[in-house]
Amino acid sequence: APCCDKLYTCRLCHDNNEDHQLDRFKVQEVQCINCEKIQRAQQSCEDCSTLFGEYYCSICHLFDKDKKQYHCENCGICRIGPKEDFFHCLKCNLCLAMNLQGKHKCIENVSRQNCPICLEDIHTSRVVAHVLPCGHLLHRTCYEEMLKEGYRCPLCMHSALDMTRYWRQLDNEVAQTPMPSEYQNMTVDILCNDCNGRSTVQFHILGMKCQNCDSYNTAQAGRRRVSLDQQ
């Protein structure tokens, strides 16, 4: 480690034991564990030919098992591949799966923001990032935990997955649950978190349905009121 001139088997071990972080890009030397030869950073020992890593990146100085890794120049770090399964979105500034090309909402430099669930870095994390329909990113593990408690993006409140089937189920529940007579002619202004549309709908305790996109992911945007002929 050029920062403290100490030997560590990996940068994570260094960071866990020191009060500072190792800059992997500044590493210049490694020591062979077998013959203890200190030498320039490279894939194999120059004395005993010990293979330091099936995969080695001379930029990141990453030694690892072969996981089809590749170095992305735009990301500035190595990613787990294979490379042909991913593309780099220049606006999001992140490598994404090919099936998202042209099918995701771009947010400029979204990967340079911390995960809103755990508040940890996303761009360099070893945990896979999950792209929400709204374009925001979560660690996949954080996304899976979030779904146990709710379905909305913690940043913009947009639905984090396709809720169409659940909205149809809620349609049936609303139809089978009539409101008491004093509420039957009550309306309310709502704002939809999915399409950002506004509409005036009949109030119902189970949820208010957006008139623009049929989503129940809505919030009350005004006072409830009863039509004049019913007051």
Side-chain angles (χ1 to χ4, degrees), residues 44-230:
S44 301
C45 177
E46 61 187 34
D47 273 12
C48 68
S49 300
T50 294
L51 184 67
F52 297 147
E54 294 174 346
Y55 173 82
Y56 170 63
C57 175
S58 59
I59 300 175
C60 297
H61 300 298
L62 171 66
F63 301 87
D64 203 356
K65 294 181 179 179
D66 183 9
K67 302 171 184 173
K68 307 300 181 184
Q69 298 96 325
Y70 65 97
H71 182 86
C72 175
E73 293 185 4
N74 290 308
C75 283
I77 58 176
C78 292
R79 298 291 190 191
I80 295 178
K83 185 177 182 178
E84 57 269 20
D85 289 350
F86 296 87
F87 74 100
H88 184 90
C89 177
L90 292 174
K91 187 172 182 179
C92 295
N93 207 357
L94 182 69
C95 285
L96 300 173
M98 289 298 294
N99 59 10
L100 291 175
Q101 193 164 20
K103 300 178 182 178
H104 72 286
K105 182 177 180 180
C106 290
I107 298 179
E108 190 167 1
N109 285 326
V110 67
S111 71
R112 298 308 198 270
Q113 302 171 12
N114 290 340
C115 172
I117 300 293
C118 67
L119 303 181
E120 297 292 335
D121 177 61
I122 289 181
H123 185 72
T124 61
S125 175
R126 292 178 294 164
V127 180
V128 175
H130 181 82
V131 185
L132 300 180
C134 56
H136 291 120
L137 298 181
L138 304 177
H139 291 122
R140 178 166 297 276
T141 50
C142 293
Y143 169 73
E144 292 171 350
E145 286 298 315
M146 182 197 74
L147 291 182
K148 296 178 182 179
E149 304 293 334
Y151 64 90
R152 296 184 291 192
C153 170
L155 291 176
C156 67
M157 306 302 286
H158 192 284
S159 295
L161 68 166
D162 185 359
M163 298 290 291
T164 304
R165 183 176 179 180
Y166 179 70
W167 297 154
R168 300 294 76 77
Q169 179 181 336
L170 199 51
D171 279 341
N172 294 331
E173 293 180 9
V174 168
Q176 296 173 18
T177 311
M179 294 292 289
S181 57
E182 61 267 30
Y183 290 102
Q184 288 182 359
N185 293 284
M186 181 173 288
T187 61
V188 62
D189 295 330
I190 61 170
L191 172 65
C192 180
N193 291 317
D194 287 339
C195 72
N196 295 321
R198 293 178 178 270
S199 51
T200 301
V201 300
Q202 184 176 358
F203 172 77
H204 199 285
I205 192 65
L206 294 180
M208 274 78 74
K209 181 178 180 177
C210 174
Q211 297 299 296
N212 300 304
C213 70
D214 295 336
S215 169
Y216 278 92
N217 182 13
T218 60
Q220 186 170 319
R223 297 177 60 184
R224 290 176 293 195
R225 54 187 179 272
V226 178
S227 58
L228 292 177
D229 58 347
Q230 296 293 325

